[in-house]
Amino acid sequence: MTTTRQVSVRLTQYAHGGGCACKIPPGELEDVLGALSAPLPASAVDTPLLVGLATGDDAAVVALPAQSGPAQAVVSTADFFTPVVDDPYDWGRIAAANALSDVYAMGGRPVVAVNLLAWPRDVLPFELAREVLRGGLQVATEAGCHVGGGHSVDDPEPKYGMAVTGLADPARLLRNDTGRPGMPLSLTKPLGLGVLNNRHKATGERFEQAVATMVALNRDASAAALAAGAVCATDVTGFGLLGHLHKLARASRVTAVIDTAAVPYLDGARQAVRDGYVSGGTRRNLQWVTPVTDFGTTDDDTRVLLADAQTSGGLLVAGEVPGAPVIGELVPCGPHSLVLR
Protein backbone atom coordinates (compact mmCIF):
# COMPACT_ATOMS: atom_id res chain seq x y z
CA MET A 1 0.00 0.00 0.00
CA THR A 2 1.27 3.46 -0.90
CA THR A 3 0.28 6.84 0.50
CA THR A 4 1.32 10.42 -0.18
CA ARG A 5 1.36 11.74 3.40
CA GLN A 6 2.98 15.18 3.44
CA VAL A 7 6.10 15.83 5.52
CA SER A 8 7.53 19.30 6.11
CA VAL A 9 11.12 18.20 5.39
CA ARG A 10 12.15 15.31 3.12
CA LEU A 11 15.02 13.86 5.11
CA THR A 12 16.03 11.43 2.36
CA GLN A 13 17.02 14.40 0.19
CA TYR A 14 19.81 15.27 2.63
CA ALA A 15 21.58 11.92 2.25
CA HIS A 16 23.67 10.50 -0.59
CA GLY A 17 21.99 7.11 -0.09
CA GLY A 18 19.53 5.54 2.30
CA GLY A 19 19.54 2.99 5.09
CA CYS A 20 21.69 -0.11 4.85
CA ALA A 21 22.24 0.50 1.13
CA CYS A 22 24.92 2.94 2.36
CA LYS A 23 27.10 0.12 3.70
CA ILE A 24 30.67 -0.10 2.46
CA PRO A 25 30.66 -2.72 -0.35
CA PRO A 26 31.25 -6.18 1.16
CA GLY A 27 34.32 -6.97 -0.91
CA GLU A 28 36.05 -3.70 0.01
CA LEU A 29 35.13 -4.16 3.67
CA GLU A 30 36.58 -7.66 3.83
CA ASP A 31 39.82 -6.48 2.24
CA VAL A 32 40.24 -3.93 5.03
CA LEU A 33 39.11 -6.10 7.93
CA GLY A 34 41.21 -9.09 6.88
CA ALA A 35 44.33 -7.46 8.29
CA LEU A 36 42.72 -6.49 11.59
CA SER A 37 41.78 -9.88 13.07
CA ALA A 38 44.26 -10.08 15.94
CA PRO A 39 42.53 -11.53 19.03
CA LEU A 40 44.05 -11.10 22.46
CA PRO A 41 45.94 -14.14 23.74
CA ALA A 42 43.79 -16.32 26.00
CA SER A 43 46.16 -15.71 28.91
CA ALA A 44 45.54 -11.95 28.74
CA VAL A 45 41.82 -11.99 29.52
CA ASP A 46 39.29 -13.92 31.57
CA THR A 47 36.46 -13.15 29.12
CA PRO A 48 37.04 -15.29 25.99
CA LEU A 49 35.90 -13.89 22.63
CA LEU A 50 33.33 -16.39 21.35
CA VAL A 51 32.44 -14.57 18.11
CA GLY A 52 34.65 -11.95 16.48
CA LEU A 53 35.78 -10.78 13.06
CA ALA A 54 36.73 -14.16 11.65
CA THR A 55 33.34 -15.18 10.22
CA GLY A 56 31.79 -11.76 9.66
CA ASP A 57 28.91 -12.52 12.01
CA ASP A 58 26.25 -10.05 13.15
CA ALA A 59 27.76 -9.07 16.52
CA ALA A 60 30.70 -9.72 18.81
CA VAL A 61 30.13 -12.13 21.69
CA VAL A 62 32.27 -12.40 24.84
CA ALA A 63 31.85 -15.02 27.55
CA LEU A 64 31.51 -13.62 31.07
CA PRO A 65 33.64 -15.07 33.86
CA ALA A 66 32.15 -18.16 35.48
CA GLN A 67 29.80 -17.38 38.36
CA SER A 68 27.51 -19.33 40.61
CA GLY A 69 24.51 -18.71 38.34
CA PRO A 70 23.84 -19.69 34.72
CA ALA A 71 26.59 -19.01 32.18
CA GLN A 72 26.16 -15.76 30.28
CA ALA A 73 27.75 -13.98 27.37
CA VAL A 74 27.74 -10.32 26.36
CA VAL A 75 26.60 -9.48 22.81
CA SER A 76 27.89 -6.16 21.45
CA THR A 77 27.01 -4.38 18.21
CA ALA A 78 26.52 -0.95 16.62
CA ASP A 79 24.55 0.14 13.58
CA PHE A 80 23.65 3.55 12.13
CA PHE A 81 22.77 4.96 8.73
CA THR A 82 21.44 7.90 6.73
CA PRO A 83 17.67 8.52 6.43
CA VAL A 84 15.79 5.69 4.76
CA VAL A 85 12.41 7.46 4.96
CA ASP A 86 11.37 11.10 5.18
CA ASP A 87 9.43 10.88 8.44
CA PRO A 88 11.91 11.46 11.32
CA TYR A 89 9.96 9.40 13.88
CA ASP A 90 9.73 6.44 11.49
CA TRP A 91 13.43 6.75 10.66
CA GLY A 92 14.24 6.56 14.37
CA ARG A 93 12.06 3.49 14.82
CA ILE A 94 13.58 1.75 11.80
CA ALA A 95 17.17 2.50 12.81
CA ALA A 96 16.59 1.23 16.34
CA ALA A 97 14.90 -1.97 15.18
CA ASN A 98 17.78 -2.53 12.77
CA ALA A 99 20.43 -2.06 15.47
CA LEU A 100 18.62 -4.33 17.94
CA SER A 101 18.31 -6.98 15.23
CA ASP A 102 21.99 -7.90 15.43
CA VAL A 103 21.53 -9.01 19.03
CA TYR A 104 18.46 -11.07 18.13
CA ALA A 105 20.37 -12.57 15.20
CA MET A 106 22.91 -13.97 17.68
CA GLY A 107 20.18 -15.46 19.88
CA GLY A 108 20.52 -12.76 22.54
CA ARG A 109 18.27 -10.20 24.20
CA PRO A 110 19.17 -6.48 24.18
CA VAL A 111 19.74 -4.94 27.61
CA VAL A 112 20.99 -1.39 27.05
CA ALA A 113 21.60 0.86 24.07
CA VAL A 114 23.16 4.27 23.50
CA ASN A 115 22.19 6.61 20.68
CA LEU A 116 24.55 7.52 17.82
CA LEU A 117 23.45 10.78 16.17
CA ALA A 118 25.00 12.96 13.47
CA TRP A 119 23.07 16.12 12.61
CA PRO A 120 23.57 19.12 10.29
CA ARG A 121 22.54 21.75 12.87
CA ASP A 122 22.73 24.68 10.46
CA VAL A 123 20.61 22.93 7.81
CA LEU A 124 17.92 20.87 9.54
CA PRO A 125 15.82 21.94 12.56
CA PHE A 126 17.00 20.20 15.70
CA GLU A 127 13.37 19.49 16.57
CA LEU A 128 13.49 16.85 13.84
CA ALA A 129 16.40 15.17 15.63
CA ARG A 130 14.24 14.96 18.74
CA GLU A 131 11.62 13.08 16.71
CA VAL A 132 14.29 10.68 15.45
CA LEU A 133 15.42 10.01 19.02
CA ARG A 134 11.82 9.63 20.16
CA GLY A 135 11.28 6.95 17.53
CA GLY A 136 14.38 5.09 18.62
CA LEU A 137 13.32 5.23 22.25
CA GLN A 138 9.85 3.90 21.40
CA VAL A 139 11.23 0.78 19.71
CA ALA A 140 13.86 0.19 22.39
CA THR A 141 11.13 0.44 25.03
CA GLU A 142 9.07 -2.11 23.10
CA ALA A 143 12.12 -4.39 23.16
CA GLY A 144 12.57 -3.97 26.92
CA CYS A 145 15.95 -2.34 26.30
CA HIS A 146 17.22 0.66 28.28
CA VAL A 147 18.47 3.71 26.38
CA GLY A 148 21.23 5.25 28.49
CA GLY A 149 22.29 8.36 26.58
CA GLY A 150 24.65 8.30 23.62
CA HIS A 151 26.86 10.50 21.50
CA SER A 152 26.10 13.24 18.96
CA VAL A 153 28.14 15.24 16.46
CA ASP A 154 27.51 18.14 14.09
CA ASP A 155 27.78 16.56 10.64
CA PRO A 156 26.90 17.65 7.06
CA GLU A 157 24.73 14.55 6.61
CA PRO A 158 22.12 13.22 9.08
CA LYS A 159 22.81 9.77 10.50
CA TYR A 160 21.25 7.83 13.36
CA GLY A 161 21.53 4.45 15.01
CA MET A 162 22.48 2.72 18.23
CA ALA A 163 25.25 0.80 19.92
CA VAL A 164 23.55 -2.11 21.68
CA THR A 165 24.67 -4.46 24.42
CA GLY A 166 22.80 -7.70 25.05
CA LEU A 167 23.03 -10.97 26.93
CA ALA A 168 22.89 -14.52 25.62
CA ASP A 169 23.37 -18.10 26.73
CA PRO A 170 26.81 -19.02 25.34
CA ALA A 171 25.60 -22.59 24.80
CA ARG A 172 22.60 -21.45 22.71
CA LEU A 173 24.01 -18.85 20.33
CA LEU A 174 22.79 -18.39 16.77
CA ARG A 175 25.98 -18.19 14.70
CA ASN A 176 26.69 -18.01 10.98
CA ASP A 177 29.35 -20.76 11.05
CA THR A 178 27.25 -23.60 12.50
CA GLY A 179 25.18 -24.52 9.44
CA ARG A 180 25.27 -28.17 8.37
CA PRO A 181 24.09 -30.05 5.25
CA GLY A 182 20.44 -31.01 5.45
CA MET A 183 19.31 -27.92 7.36
CA PRO A 184 16.36 -26.05 5.78
CA LEU A 185 16.53 -22.27 5.36
CA SER A 186 13.72 -20.07 6.73
CA LEU A 187 13.26 -16.34 6.07
CA THR A 188 11.19 -14.36 8.58
CA LYS A 189 10.54 -11.13 6.61
CA PRO A 190 9.82 -10.58 2.90
CA LEU A 191 12.38 -8.95 0.61
CA GLY A 192 12.02 -5.75 -1.40
CA LEU A 193 12.71 -3.10 1.24
CA GLY A 194 15.64 -1.64 -0.66
CA VAL A 195 13.85 -0.98 -3.95
CA LEU A 196 10.77 0.41 -2.20
CA ASN A 197 12.91 2.72 -0.07
CA ASN A 198 14.77 3.84 -3.18
CA ARG A 199 11.45 4.62 -4.88
CA HIS A 200 10.36 6.55 -1.78
CA LYS A 201 13.56 8.60 -1.89
CA ALA A 202 13.05 9.40 -5.58
CA THR A 203 9.31 10.10 -5.62
CA GLY A 204 8.10 10.73 -2.07
CA GLU A 205 5.64 7.82 -2.26
CA ARG A 206 5.21 6.26 1.17
CA PHE A 207 5.03 2.47 1.39
CA GLU A 208 3.23 1.52 4.59
CA GLN A 209 4.02 -2.19 4.14
CA ALA A 210 7.74 -1.41 4.01
CA VAL A 211 7.65 0.80 7.12
CA ALA A 212 5.67 -1.82 9.06
CA THR A 213 8.19 -4.49 8.07
CA MET A 214 11.23 -2.40 9.01
CA VAL A 215 9.97 -1.33 12.45
CA ALA A 216 9.00 -4.90 13.41
CA LEU A 217 11.42 -6.40 15.92
CA ASN A 218 13.13 -9.71 15.20
CA ARG A 219 12.62 -10.65 18.85
CA ASP A 220 9.86 -13.22 18.32
CA ALA A 221 11.62 -14.78 15.32
CA SER A 222 14.80 -15.18 17.38
CA ALA A 223 12.92 -16.76 20.27
CA ALA A 224 11.09 -19.10 17.90
CA ALA A 225 14.36 -20.15 16.26
CA LEU A 226 15.93 -20.94 19.62
CA ALA A 227 12.83 -22.82 20.76
CA ALA A 228 13.01 -24.92 17.58
CA GLY A 229 16.62 -25.84 18.38
CA ALA A 230 18.29 -23.69 15.72
CA VAL A 231 22.00 -22.95 16.13
CA CYS A 232 22.69 -21.06 12.89
CA ALA A 233 21.23 -17.76 11.70
CA THR A 234 21.99 -14.28 10.42
CA ASP A 235 19.89 -11.23 9.67
CA VAL A 236 19.34 -9.91 6.16
CA THR A 237 20.38 -6.28 5.85
CA GLY A 238 22.65 -4.25 3.60
CA PHE A 239 24.37 -7.11 1.75
CA GLY A 240 21.02 -8.58 0.64
CA LEU A 241 19.81 -12.14 1.00
CA LEU A 242 22.48 -13.46 -1.37
CA GLY A 243 25.31 -11.60 0.35
CA HIS A 244 24.41 -12.65 3.88
CA LEU A 245 23.66 -16.21 2.81
CA HIS A 246 27.02 -16.40 1.03
CA LYS A 247 28.76 -15.35 4.25
CA LEU A 248 26.83 -18.01 6.18
CA ALA A 249 27.57 -20.73 3.63
CA ARG A 250 31.25 -19.80 3.46
CA ALA A 251 31.64 -19.71 7.24
CA SER A 252 29.81 -23.04 7.61
CA ARG A 253 31.65 -24.66 4.66
CA VAL A 254 28.43 -25.65 2.90
CA THR A 255 26.50 -24.70 -0.23
CA ALA A 256 23.15 -22.93 0.07
CA VAL A 257 20.41 -23.85 -2.40
CA ILE A 258 17.57 -21.33 -2.80
CA ASP A 259 14.11 -22.20 -4.11
CA THR A 260 13.48 -18.84 -5.80
CA ALA A 261 9.73 -19.49 -6.10
CA ALA A 262 9.47 -19.80 -2.31
CA VAL A 263 11.07 -16.44 -1.45
CA PRO A 264 8.48 -13.87 -0.24
CA TYR A 265 8.47 -10.26 -1.51
CA LEU A 266 6.69 -7.11 -0.43
CA ASP A 267 3.87 -5.79 -2.59
CA GLY A 268 5.27 -3.39 -5.16
CA ALA A 269 8.83 -4.69 -5.02
CA ARG A 270 8.90 -6.24 -8.48
CA GLN A 271 7.30 -3.17 -10.01
CA ALA A 272 9.94 -0.99 -8.35
CA VAL A 273 12.67 -3.10 -9.96
CA ARG A 274 10.98 -2.91 -13.36
CA ASP A 275 10.74 0.87 -12.98
CA GLY A 276 14.47 1.12 -12.26
CA TYR A 277 14.54 1.97 -8.54
CA VAL A 278 17.62 -0.12 -7.78
CA SER A 279 20.32 1.28 -5.50
CA GLY A 280 24.03 1.21 -6.19
CA GLY A 281 24.45 -0.88 -3.03
CA THR A 282 22.18 -3.59 -4.44
CA ARG A 283 24.09 -3.67 -7.72
CA ARG A 284 27.38 -3.97 -5.81
CA ASN A 285 25.93 -6.84 -3.77
CA LEU A 286 24.99 -8.69 -6.95
CA GLN A 287 28.41 -8.08 -8.46
CA TRP A 288 30.09 -9.43 -5.30
CA VAL A 289 28.20 -12.73 -5.22
CA THR A 290 28.12 -13.40 -8.96
CA PRO A 291 31.44 -15.32 -9.07
CA VAL A 292 30.24 -17.71 -6.31
CA THR A 293 26.65 -18.19 -7.51
CA ASP A 294 25.04 -20.64 -9.92
CA PHE A 295 22.06 -18.55 -11.07
CA GLY A 296 20.59 -21.25 -13.28
CA THR A 297 17.70 -19.79 -15.27
CA THR A 298 16.79 -17.13 -12.69
CA ASP A 299 15.63 -13.95 -14.42
CA ASP A 300 17.42 -10.63 -13.96
CA ASP A 301 14.70 -8.97 -11.84
CA THR A 302 14.71 -11.86 -9.37
CA ARG A 303 18.49 -11.74 -9.14
CA VAL A 304 18.27 -8.06 -8.24
CA LEU A 305 15.64 -8.66 -5.57
CA LEU A 306 17.64 -11.49 -4.03
CA ALA A 307 20.60 -9.10 -3.76
CA ASP A 308 18.45 -6.12 -2.72
CA ALA A 309 20.04 -4.14 0.12
CA GLN A 310 17.56 -4.55 2.97
CA THR A 311 17.17 -2.22 5.92
CA SER A 312 15.98 -3.89 9.13
CA GLY A 313 15.22 -7.12 7.28
CA GLY A 314 14.30 -10.46 8.77
CA LEU A 315 16.27 -13.39 10.13
CA LEU A 316 17.62 -16.08 7.84
CA VAL A 317 17.59 -19.23 9.98
CA ALA A 318 19.10 -22.63 9.24
CA GLY A 319 16.10 -24.50 10.57
CA GLU A 320 12.33 -24.34 10.44
CA VAL A 321 10.69 -21.39 12.17
CA PRO A 322 6.92 -21.58 12.73
CA GLY A 323 5.13 -19.15 10.41
CA ALA A 324 8.17 -18.44 8.23
CA PRO A 325 8.52 -19.85 4.71
CA VAL A 326 11.26 -22.36 3.98
CA ILE A 327 13.17 -20.92 1.02
CA GLY A 328 15.89 -23.52 0.52
CA GLU A 329 18.39 -25.77 2.25
CA LEU A 330 22.04 -26.27 3.04
CA VAL A 331 23.82 -29.07 1.18
CA PRO A 332 27.41 -30.38 1.15
CA CYS A 333 29.93 -27.88 -0.15
CA GLY A 334 30.06 -27.80 -3.94
CA PRO A 335 31.72 -25.65 -6.62
CA HIS A 336 29.43 -22.69 -5.79
CA SER A 337 28.56 -21.09 -2.49
CA LEU A 338 25.01 -20.35 -3.71
CA VAL A 339 22.74 -22.23 -6.12
CA LEU A 340 19.43 -20.79 -7.35
CA ARG A 341 16.65 -23.07 -8.57
Side-chain angles (χ1 to χ4, degrees):
M1 179 176 65
T2 65
T3 63
T4 56
R5 191 174 77 182
Q6 296 296 312
V7 291
S8 57
V9 176
R10 293 204 58 208
L11 287 176
T12 57
Q13 304 309 297
Y14 292 85
H16 74 282
C20 290
C22 288
K23 279 189 173 183
I24 301 295
E28 293 180 24
L29 188 62
E30 291 188 345
D31 288 344
V32 171
L33 296 180
L36 299 178
S37 183
L40 293 171
S43 59
V45 292
D46 60 357
T47 53
L49 183 68
L50 301 180
V51 181
L53 278 175
T55 61
D57 217 325
D58 296 296
V61 182
V62 175
L64 292 176
Q67 301 173 348
S68 58
Q72 286 192 312
V74 171
V75 183
S76 181
T77 185
D79 209 309
F80 63 97
F81 46 65
T82 54
V84 68
V85 293
D86 290 325
D87 186 290
Y89 178 71
D90 283 346
W91 175 33
R93 292 197 297 156
I94 292 164
N98 183 73
L100 294 166
S101 178
D102 283 338
V103 175
Y104 294 130
M106 300 302 302
R109 61 178 181 87
V111 176
V112 62
V114 292
N115 291 306
L116 304 172
L117 178 69
W119 201 259
R121 292 174 49 254
D122 295 334
V123 177
L124 290 173
F126 210 63
E127 290 78 7
L128 295 179
R130 180 174 58 213
E131 284 299 290
V132 175
L133 295 171
R134 186 171 72 89
L137 178 61
Q138 189 275 323
V139 165
T141 300
E142 179 186 347
C145 177
H146 297 288
V147 178
H151 183 66
S152 60
V153 295
D154 191 345
D155 188 271
E157 188 174 52
K159 304 174 184 74
Y160 174 66
M162 288 178 163
V164 187
T165 301
L167 293 173
D169 180 345
R172 300 185 68 217
L173 294 175
L174 297 173
R175 303 172 56 129
N176 73 353
D177 62 352
T178 48
R180 298 294 178 264
M183 290 181 172
L185 293 169
S186 300
L187 182 64
T188 67
K189 287 185 183 181
L191 303 182
L193 292 164
V195 291
L196 291 179
N197 288 338
N198 210 35
R199 184 166 201 148
H200 170 70
K201 177 179 171 63
T203 69
E205 296 171 83
R206 178 181 166 87
F207 298 94
E208 301 292 348
Q209 70 275 29
V211 173
T213 298
M214 290 185 287
V215 302
L217 293 172
N218 281 327
R219 173 185 55 198
D220 293 346
S222 177
L226 289 171
V231 296
C232 179
T234 187
D235 64 351
V236 180
T237 55
F239 299 152
L241 174 66
L242 294 182
H244 289 284
L245 184 53
H246 166 53
K247 292 175 67 175
L248 185 154
R250 183 179 59 184
S252 297
R253 295 183 171 85
V254 296
T255 287
V257 179
I258 300 176
D259 176 3
T260 57
V263 178
Y265 300 101
L266 288 165
D267 290 345
R270 284 196 176 274
Q271 187 62 50
V273 174
R274 287 193 290 268
D275 290 344
Y277 295 104
V278 180
S279 69
T282 291
R283 297 194 185 282
R284 290 190 292 271
N285 289 342
L286 188 57
Q287 182 180 29
W288 182 55
V289 299
T290 292
V292 297
T293 304
D294 176 358
F295 287 102
T297 60
T298 306
D299 64 85
D300 290 343
D301 287 356
T302 298
R303 296 184 190 192
V304 167
L305 284 169
L306 292 173
D308 190 37
Q310 304 298 278
T311 297
S312 193
L315 297 187
L316 177 65
V317 180
E320 292 195 41
V321 178
V326 172
I327 64 164
E329 64 175 334
L330 301 180
V331 300
C333 190
H336 293 92
S337 176
L338 306 173
V339 176
L340 308 188
R341 293 178 177 164

